[in-house]
Amino acid sequence: MTAQNDIYALEIVRLNKSFVGLPVTQDVSMTVRPGERRLLLGPNGAGKTTLFNQITGEILPNSGQIKLFGQDVTKLKPHQRAHLGLSRTYQIITLFQNDTLQHNVAFGLLGLMPARWNFFRPMSQHILVEARRVLGLVGLEHLADRPISEIAYGEKRRVEIAMALAQKPKVLLLDEPLAGLSSAERNTIKKLIADIPRETSLVMIEHDMDTALDLAETITLLHYGKVIIDGMRDAVIADERAREVYLGH
Amino acid sequence: MNKIWFWVPIVAGFFALLPFVAGDFYVNLGSQMMIAAIFALSLNLLVGYGGLTSLGHAAFLGVAAYLSAWFTTRAGFGHGTAALLSIIGTTMCAALFGLIALRASGLGFLMITLALSQVLWGLAYRWVSVTNGDNGMAGLTRPMPFGISIESAASFYWFALIVTVAAFVLITVFVSSAFGVSLKGTRDQSRRMAALGFNVWMIRWITFIYAGFWGGIAGLIYVYYNKYIHPTSLSITSSAEGLLGVIAGGSGTLVGPIVGSVLVTFLKNYASSYIDRWNMLLGFVFMFIVIVMPDGIVPGIRRLAGRLKEPRK
Ligand SMILES: Nc1ncnc2c1ncn2[C@@H]1O[C@H](COP(=O)(O)OP(=O)(O)OP(=O)(O)O)[C@@H](O)[C@H]1O
Ligand SMILES: [Mg+2]
């Protein structure tokens, strides 16, 4: 291995976070290699979303370190981390309700472009065309001009992903992308996630085991804010403790 | 967008006819409406497009007016230099206030903007050696832009109309730009905007400064019109009237603040000469608007028009 390969896409070192006395992240360490597909498992309230929020900078940890491609980003603001190649989706849909699908995805593009500081000209046609293309990737091009408020829940889930994909992220955090979907819809999204290029490292929170395990190479299991077990997929599935906490239902 | 650029010269041309058909009382009323409209347009940048409700916007109107009065009477500058310095000073004041107020959003933002404007209001009353306190600063003059006198009611009205059109055009360009789109994004989903790479704080600060700049322009026209400035111009009432215009007309719409300001100024000046308690009347009208058209007159009318065009199926 060359030195280059030793740099993790994402590295979390001994992270701690408490909400008014309630510890939700306890000494969490985790690494993600470039291109890796990692599944983040854990029962409800284990602190998975809170960990994502700390990785993106929406919540600051009490102690510990977060690195993107070797760079310490622990103190950086969310928008600065986005510019280093970090994107996420939300467990609770967080879209621009009154704007069209195309406009929503365009936000994802504009956020990383210098054009967002243009005070004189509207968003360029080029951005809108690209937004449409990305909507095509998630099969929603035909709804591009409809406002979010008029589309179905499953379609909103796909817009969540399209917004992140538009950014061509180096590290993508997916927070329960399949939550609340029918099995047909789950398969659509599963395929979508499987098709994400290897330039993007993935960390995915997901409860739906059938789907999630197929996509995962490595698994981190969180329980009460602690990493219970971390390793290759098959080793984790076979692990006694994993069964106890999570898989053994 | 293009539809707007088509209508601007037509509507402006129409308004320009007022002095030919109405007496000085109405022409002066028209000038006051223009001043209120510029003020409301600038406030709408924060309230309507930024989702930041300020109750202290009169600070910028007042600072520009006082600076202009001070520079022309005490420092002996000409109107051109005084206007430039006043606007620069007001914009810098907005930059400073923005730094303080944008530590919060929502109710906190409202309270801080209110507090900051109240500080200036108190200063205007107490710092008598500079502001002449409760007596206000009188004996001011109007400038002669490009050597043209704006002393008559009609010429001042046209002057105010030109500035209003400029304000409308430049504010419309601002909110329609890529930056303006980002601004609306921070209003609707600030958290997601940050995660997408937008510097939410910076977007809001720049908007605050730009709004302060136009608030200052409104203040200049205001002091030229009245040839007098008093601390009440900085008061919460002054800020609230602007806010009322924005909300009544339709916050976050391009022409709503103009419609709202015209209404508020009309009620305040015209109705007050017939009805003692114009404030009460204003209250009733405002309540009526809020109940019948909760998002303001312009969106309300637009919805009505849509319903008429497309009868129920
Ligand atoms: N802002 C907050 N303030 C206080 N407590 C919080 C906050 N956010 C989360 N918590 C608490 O922290 C714990 C972990 O929450 P988190 O949302 O990270 O869990 P999760 O693993 O994502 O669960 P789920 O599978 O239900 O989404 C929960 O007990 C939650 O109530
Ligand atoms: Mg969660």
Side-chain angles (χ1 to χ4, degrees):
Chain A
M1 259 199 203
T2 64
Q4 188 96 50
N5 290 339
D6 288 342
I7 293 183
Y8 293 111
L10 172 67
E11 185 178 5
I12 296 169
V13 187
R14 310 200 60 173
L15 209 64
N16 284 283
K17 177 70 188 179
S18 301
F19 288 119
V20 279
L22 173 76
V24 285
T25 305
Q26 299 188 57
D27 218 25
V28 168
S29 295
M30 185 174 95
T31 58
V32 180
R33 282 173 288 103
E36 185 176 331
R37 269 74 182 123
R38 180 172 287 270
L39 182 61
L40 189 55
L41 287 179
N44 290 105
K48 305 180 297 294
T49 299
T50 306
L51 184 61
F52 270 18
N53 288 339
Q54 292 171 86
I55 297 172
T56 59
E58 284 156 79
I59 290 176
L60 291 178
N62 299 124
S63 67
Q65 230 185 6
I66 299 162
K67 292 185 196 169
L68 280 173
F69 295 95
Q71 182 183 348
D72 186 346
V73 300
T74 318
K75 299 239 154 59
L76 294 190
K77 297 264 190 276
H79 70 268
Q80 295 171 309
R81 303 186 198 197
H83 285 268
L84 293 174
L86 181 67
S87 289
R88 73 170 294 178
T89 66
Y90 290 87
Q91 179 177 358
I92 298 165
I93 286 173
T94 309
L95 297 171
F96 301 86
Q97 278 293 322
N98 301 319
D99 292 322
T100 62
L101 272 67
Q102 180 181 26
H103 201 98
N104 270 264
V105 176
F107 272 126
L109 296 160
L110 188 62
L112 299 180
M113 295 169 78
R116 69 190 182 285
W117 297 117
N118 193 322
F119 299 96
F120 306 104
R121 289 174 166 280
M123 208 160 25
S124 74
Q125 206 55 39
H126 158 78
I127 295 180
L128 297 173
V129 169
E130 173 65 8
R132 249 173 210 279
R133 190 190 67 79
V134 177
L135 278 171
L137 294 181
V138 301
L140 291 177
E141 204 176 353
H142 61 292
L143 296 176
D145 297 321
R146 298 271 291 279
I148 296 290
S149 54
E150 286 180 11
I151 64 171
Y153 175 81
E155 289 158 348
K156 289 182 192 170
R157 278 261 160 251
R158 279 192 265 167
V159 178
E160 275 279 336
I161 296 174
M163 250 170 128
L165 288 185
Q167 302 202 299
K168 300 205 171 75
K170 293 193 191 128
V171 176
L172 175 56
L173 312 178
L174 297 168
D175 195 345
E176 302 202 21
L178 306 172
L181 297 181
S182 70
S183 71
E185 287 170 326
R186 277 208 292 273
N187 278 329
T188 312
I189 295 200
K190 181 179 163 183
K191 173 136 188 348
L192 228 160
I193 295 171
D195 285 346
I196 293 173
R198 283 280 161 172
E199 286 79 61
T200 301
S201 317
L202 276 186
V203 183
M204 182 165 90
I205 299 174
E206 190 45 66
H207 284 292
D208 177 9
M209 283 307 128
D210 298 337
T211 311
L213 289 178
D214 281 351
L215 293 167
E217 295 165 357
T218 51
I219 297 178
T220 301
L221 179 60
L222 276 186
H223 193 37
Y224 291 119
K226 283 198 189 106
V227 176
I228 299 284
I229 169 168
D230 177 321
M232 299 305 289
R233 185 186 71 167
D234 294 338
V236 173
I237 294 172
D239 195 291
E240 198 64 22
R241 292 165 297 173
R243 293 238 182 88
E244 260 168 49
V245 175
Y246 206 83
L247 302 168
H249 48 229
Chain B
M1 266 312 282
N2 294 326
K3 218 168 67 187
I4 285 179
W5 300 138
F6 171 78
W7 282 108
V8 164
I10 293 175
V11 174
F14 179 76
F15 273 106
L17 297 177
L18 180 74
F20 299 112
V21 295
D24 277 3
F25 175 83
Y26 291 99
V27 173
N28 281 329
L29 189 58
S31 296
Q32 291 175 49
M33 287 172 175
M34 299 296 161
I35 295 162
I38 300 170
F39 184 67
L41 280 169
S42 72
L43 179 58
N44 187 38
L45 285 166
L46 292 170
V47 178
Y49 292 100
L52 297 161
T53 308
S54 161
L55 201 45
H57 204 57
F60 308 119
L61 181 138
V63 166
Y66 266 104
L67 283 177
S68 166
W70 192 86
F71 280 129
T72 51
T73 58
R74 305 285 176 86
F77 288 134
H79 266 296
T81 318
L84 191 67
L85 291 176
S86 306
I87 291 303
I88 291 174
T90 306
T91 309
M92 280 166 51
C93 172
L96 177 69
F97 280 16
L99 280 182
I100 303 167
L102 287 171
R103 300 180 70 84
S105 59
L107 210 50
F109 176 83
L110 183 137
M111 296 307 290
I112 300 173
T113 51
L114 173 61
L116 288 169
S117 73
Q118 290 293 94
V119 168
L120 289 183
W121 174 75
L123 207 63
Y125 260 112
R126 294 296 171 84
W127 200 7
V128 179
S129 63
V130 171
T131 65
N132 214 16
D134 196 17
N135 293 320
M137 297 174 83
L140 307 176
T141 56
R142 287 180 185 174
M144 302 225 329
F146 305 106
I148 302 162
S149 162
I150 51 170
E151 279 306 320
S152 74
S155 58
F156 191 88
Y157 173 82
W158 285 319
F159 168 71
L161 180 61
I162 290 169
V163 181
T164 308
V165 170
F168 178 78
V169 168
L170 290 172
I171 286 174
T172 299
V173 167
F174 183 87
V175 298
S176 312
S177 69
F179 180 88
V181 165
S182 317
L183 175 66
K184 284 175 258 180
T186 65
R187 171 194 67 191
D188 297 335
Q189 285 291 2
S190 62
R191 184 171 168 196
R192 176 131 221 173
M193 287 299 278
L196 288 174
F198 294 90
N199 185 341
V200 173
W201 185 89
M202 185 62 77
I203 289 171
R204 288 178 171 164
W205 191 50
I206 290 170
T207 305
F208 195 97
I209 294 171
Y210 193 58
F213 167 83
W214 282 111
I217 297 285
L220 270 191
I221 315 297
Y222 175 89
V223 75
Y224 294 158
Y225 175 82
N226 290 302
K227 302 177 185 170
Y228 173 73
I229 179 74
H230 183 270
T232 47
S233 311
L234 283 157
S235 69
I236 177 170
T237 317
S238 176
S239 293
E241 265 170 36
L243 196 54
L244 210 60
V246 172
I247 295 170
S251 73
T253 65
L254 292 168
V255 292
I258 301 179
V259 174
S261 314
V262 165
L263 179 73
V264 170
T265 314
F266 176 80
L267 289 175
K268 184 174 149 183
N269 291 273
Y270 186 80
S272 67
S273 42
Y274 296 98
I275 304 162
D276 282 346
R277 308 208 164 269
W278 81 272
N279 257 321
M280 219 160 92
L281 178 72
L282 194 61
F284 278 127
V285 170
F286 191 57
M287 258 167 56
F288 177 79
I289 292 171
V290 166
I291 291 166
V292 178
M293 301 182 259
D295 5 309
I297 297 170
V298 168
I301 288 176
R302 204 178 287 152
R303 208 174 15 230
L304 256 173
R307 218 178 290 166
L308 287 181
K309 244 186 246 166
E310 207 182 310
R312 249 169 289 162
K313 286 159 201 156

